[in-house]
Amino acid sequence: MTTRTARTAIGVGLLAALCVPGQAVADPTPRAVTDLVLDGDSLTLRDAFAILEGGQVSVRLSPAAQAVMNETRAGALKALDDQRVYGWNQALGPLKDRPLSPGQAERFQRNVLRSHAAGVGDPLPDNVVRLALVLKANQMARGKVGVRPEVPQRLLAMVNAGVTPRMPQIGSLGTGDLQPQAAAGLAALGEDAPVRYRGEEGPASLLLPKAGLPAGFAFQAGEALPIISGSTVLAATLLDAVHRATRLADQAEGAFALFMEATRAERSSLDARTHKERRIPEQDAVAARLRAMVAGSGWMTEEGRKRLDPANYHPRVQDAVSVRAAPHIMAGLRHALTGARRALVREANASTSNPLIFKKKSGRGYEFVMGGNWDGSVLGHLADTLNSEITDVGVLSQELSGRLLSPRWSYDLPANLAGGAVGLNSGMVQVQTVAAALIPEMQVRATPAGTLSRPVKDGQEDHNTMAMASVRHLHENLDRLEIVLAVQYLMAAQGVDLITRKMAGLSLGTATRTLHAEIRRYVTPLGEDRYLTPDLERAIWLVRNGRLRPSA
């Protein structure tokens, strides 16, 4: 089952699971229009995330950027008089030594896009495609690739009109985004490449006029290569992963705080003095957020720990490694996210095509410089690192939910978190195995694809980053982490409910009380055994939609 198909299946189940009295889902809040002016130098993460969140966007080039692009274009065309240039008056790849005549230029642009649009597999999500087009336009606005302003304006016209090219996910090696971006280029030309518009999918030649756009467009000399060269699709896909991972990192911290309440954990592992001594800012921040979430908790005290079995109580001294080291493990994810954000801001405002065009050092005229700025190694390795951190958080979450099943490991919660008579009722034991089943899949897909280069194209492209494989695996594991965290939330909330009576008079923490209440808006506590798939689907929906992000 593909990721997109799996999400659809869960969504169908949730339609039934959520449509019950008292558990209706509120309509999404309308989003304001995001108005962006691109100059090639100032696109922000906030801008990118606004596009990813699916709101309406209005994007245009700044007048200054258009002026620079026109000047560079004129200089590039003049430089062709005495320079042979890859993709302009020479062919591509292993055919780079084949010259092109001026009369072949326009036909060559179209042929390049046709031959390179060979991707397959599920399409990239529409919001990622829109972001990729905006990134491409912003990079072109820097005026270093030699295209007319009309080229990025055509891409932005599709974005503004709500026309989304269908970009297949499989084919790119992270050595530029050749296949997916070529599909977008064909759509911009108005060929029969598929696009989506207002819920309909069909050929661009038919749907562009429906959106009020001219049916056809022509790329001139040198303008097809900048469409496909560079790592804008890779960057957009990684930006989406960073956006998703940030929401899940927040919710992983919330799930851990609720686990601490259910097990009445020792608070000393969150002591600010300990974390400050490690000198890792992200670790300090995680611990501080956790302290805020459980602030005011009477459960995580000696009084709370005595309540379940006062006659046999002994001080715990310290909790297991998974509990004490949780802030450190989750800080690893935060640290990786910090590095990825920094690199992506640079990437969004960089020239990543080949060749690039610069003014000559003498100051007279322009020259083409061939290089490798399309290479996606940095982004690919960041994706691999982020995937390993995501997987480690998943392993931690599964370990913590497993502890809740054991009276010995959970400090006397009922076995299997059974709500009725233990034995007659099996409780949540099979809910936890859903998480356990996903962990090996996460571990396998956390293998760094960036170390698996292989040569292609007659040796002309003999080192490839495989970065698109890295980000695809990352997104697949983010899908799995949503489910793993949903299991932990469901089980931690059950653990809290099973001992609430014994904890009478003691309050949960500031944020954990709110998290518990939010879960209980959609999932009732488990008493006698019941059909549990709907419960888990509701919990997955809550995580997937960021409903369990702590406010603390």
Side-chain angles (χ1 to χ4, degrees):
M1 181 182 291
T2 64
T3 300
R4 180 173 293 271
T5 304
R7 286 188 183 177
T8 301
I10 290 175
V12 170
L14 287 173
L15 288 176
L18 290 169
C19 293
V20 295
Q23 295 180 344
V25 180
D27 292 332
T29 304
R31 296 183 177 94
V33 176
T34 299
D35 189 16
L36 299 179
V37 179
L38 304 182
D39 60 11
D41 198 46
S42 56
L43 195 67
T44 67
L45 284 177
R46 178 174 293 183
D47 298 333
F49 291 165
I51 295 169
L52 289 171
E53 287 167 2
Q56 186 178 347
V57 294
S58 175
V59 198
R60 63 190 185 279
L61 296 178
S62 74
Q66 294 180 55
V68 170
M69 294 177 72
N70 281 323
E71 182 181 341
T72 303
R73 175 75 180 175
L77 293 175
K78 188 173 182 180
L80 290 176
D81 293 339
D82 56 9
Q83 190 174 4
R84 304 307 300 178
V85 181
Y86 181 79
W88 285 69
N89 52 20
Q90 296 286 131
L92 299 180
L95 304 178
K96 62 183 176 60
D97 298 325
R98 305 289 180 93
L100 300 170
S101 70
Q104 294 174 319
E106 186 171 321
R107 182 180 174 187
F108 177 71
Q109 310 310 308
R110 192 174 295 268
N111 284 352
V112 164
L113 296 174
R114 287 172 173 172
S115 64
H116 284 64
V120 297
D122 287 346
L124 289 163
D126 286 358
N127 59 344
V128 173
V129 174
R130 285 192 292 270
L131 178 56
L133 297 182
V134 172
L135 291 176
K136 177 64 70 176
N138 190 59
Q139 292 180 344
M140 288 178 169
R142 294 183 61 78
K144 294 295 189 291
V145 298
V147 302
R148 297 165 295 146
E150 288 84 350
V151 174
Q153 285 170 336
R154 176 67 166 181
L155 302 180
L156 296 179
M158 292 194 294
V159 172
N160 293 337
V163 176
T164 307
R166 189 184 193 277
M167 286 189 182
Q169 293 192 32
I170 298 175
S172 172
L173 304 181
T175 306
D177 294 316
L178 306 181
Q179 289 92 333
Q181 200 72 59
L186 282 182
L189 286 177
E191 293 216 347
D192 287 341
V195 298
R196 290 186 286 274
Y197 175 65
R198 294 187 175 179
E200 180 182 358
E201 182 168 318
S205 56
L206 296 179
L207 291 186
L208 286 173
K210 283 190 177 183
L213 300 177
F217 185 82
F219 290 129
Q220 297 178 7
E223 291 182 332
L225 183 56
I227 290 286
I228 62 175
S229 184
S231 301
T232 46
V233 176
L234 171 63
T237 309
L238 183 54
L239 274 161
D240 188 34
V242 166
H243 192 41
R244 294 182 64 197
T246 301
R247 286 162 48 120
L248 291 179
D250 292 344
Q251 293 179 102
E253 292 173 11
F256 176 65
L258 200 58
F259 166 90
M260 293 185 80
E261 297 277 23
T263 57
R264 295 85 61 213
E266 292 279 351
R267 202 186 299 256
S268 61
S269 63
L270 304 179
D271 192 300
R273 295 169 296 180
T274 294
H275 295 284
K276 187 176 181 180
E277 277 298 306
R278 192 63 187 276
R279 305 174 72 90
I280 300 175
E282 292 84 358
Q283 183 180 318
D284 282 347
V286 171
R289 285 191 294 271
L290 290 170
R291 288 195 301 273
M293 284 183 230
V294 299
S297 171
W299 292 42
M300 291 172 55
T301 61
E302 286 301 299
E303 170 65 18
R305 284 186 279 274
K306 290 177 181 178
R307 286 289 185 92
L308 266 62
D309 189 6
N312 297 304
Y313 175 73
H314 298 284
R316 197 177 300 183
V317 183
Q318 65 178 18
D319 284 301
V321 168
S322 61
V323 182
R324 283 179 284 135
H328 310 69
I329 295 166
M330 291 188 284
L333 172 55
R334 297 291 187 174
H335 190 271
L337 285 168
T338 298
R341 289 190 194 97
R342 186 182 300 116
L344 285 164
V345 171
R346 290 198 304 261
E347 186 78 8
N349 297 285
S351 298
T352 66
S353 187
N354 172 53
L356 297 177
I357 302 152
F358 300 95
K359 287 185 177 180
K360 291 182 177 179
K361 293 179 180 179
S362 64
R364 296 182 179 180
Y366 286 75
E367 63 181 336
F368 289 88
V369 178
M370 265 64 78
N373 270 16
W374 38 257
D375 183 86
S377 295
V378 169
L379 298 187
H381 290 308
L382 285 169
D384 287 334
T385 299
L386 188 53
N387 200 356
S388 70
E389 297 291 353
I390 283 291
T391 299
D392 199 21
V393 169
V395 171
L396 173 67
S397 176
Q398 188 275 147
E399 289 167 343
L400 295 171
S401 62
R403 295 190 72 83
L404 292 169
L405 292 175
S406 166
R408 181 165 171 261
W409 284 9
S410 67
Y411 298 95
D412 298 321
L413 291 178
N416 289 1
L417 297 177
V422 178
L424 177 62
N425 291 278
S426 296
M428 289 192 164
V429 63
Q430 292 305 128
V431 171
Q432 201 278 331
T433 61
V434 170
L438 291 172
I439 295 304
E441 295 184 15
M442 293 185 73
Q443 291 167 326
V444 167
R445 284 164 180 80
T447 299
T451 64
L452 303 176
S453 173
R454 58 225 345 61
V456 296
K457 301 180 185 177
D458 202 24
Q460 180 64 19
E461 293 179 7
D462 56 350
H463 186 87
N464 293 283
T465 71
M466 301 300 168
M468 281 301 291
S470 295
V471 293
R472 286 175 57 235
H473 289 167
L474 172 56
H475 275 282
E476 290 172 7
N477 274 350
L478 288 167
D479 291 342
R480 294 181 179 94
L481 183 60
E482 289 171 345
I483 300 172
V484 171
L485 290 177
V487 167
Q488 186 183 349
Y489 266 117
L490 201 59
M491 295 179 67
Q494 175 73 358
V496 166
D497 286 312
L498 289 176
I499 58 174
T500 294
R501 289 185 181 178
K502 291 187 176 181
M503 308 297 284
L506 300 179
S507 175
L508 293 173
T510 304
T512 47
R513 183 168 57 250
T514 302
L515 289 171
H516 180 265
E518 181 68 6
I519 294 168
R520 289 300 171 232
R521 286 181 60 201
Y522 297 91
V523 185
T524 58
L526 179 64
E528 296 293 312
D529 284 350
R530 64 171 181 252
Y531 177 36
L532 287 174
T533 295
D535 291 11
L536 186 50
E537 286 182 333
R538 290 188 187 105
I540 295 167
W541 180 87
L542 288 168
V543 172
R544 184 160 292 161
N545 288 277
R547 301 293 288 265
L548 298 176
R549 294 181 81 174
S551 58

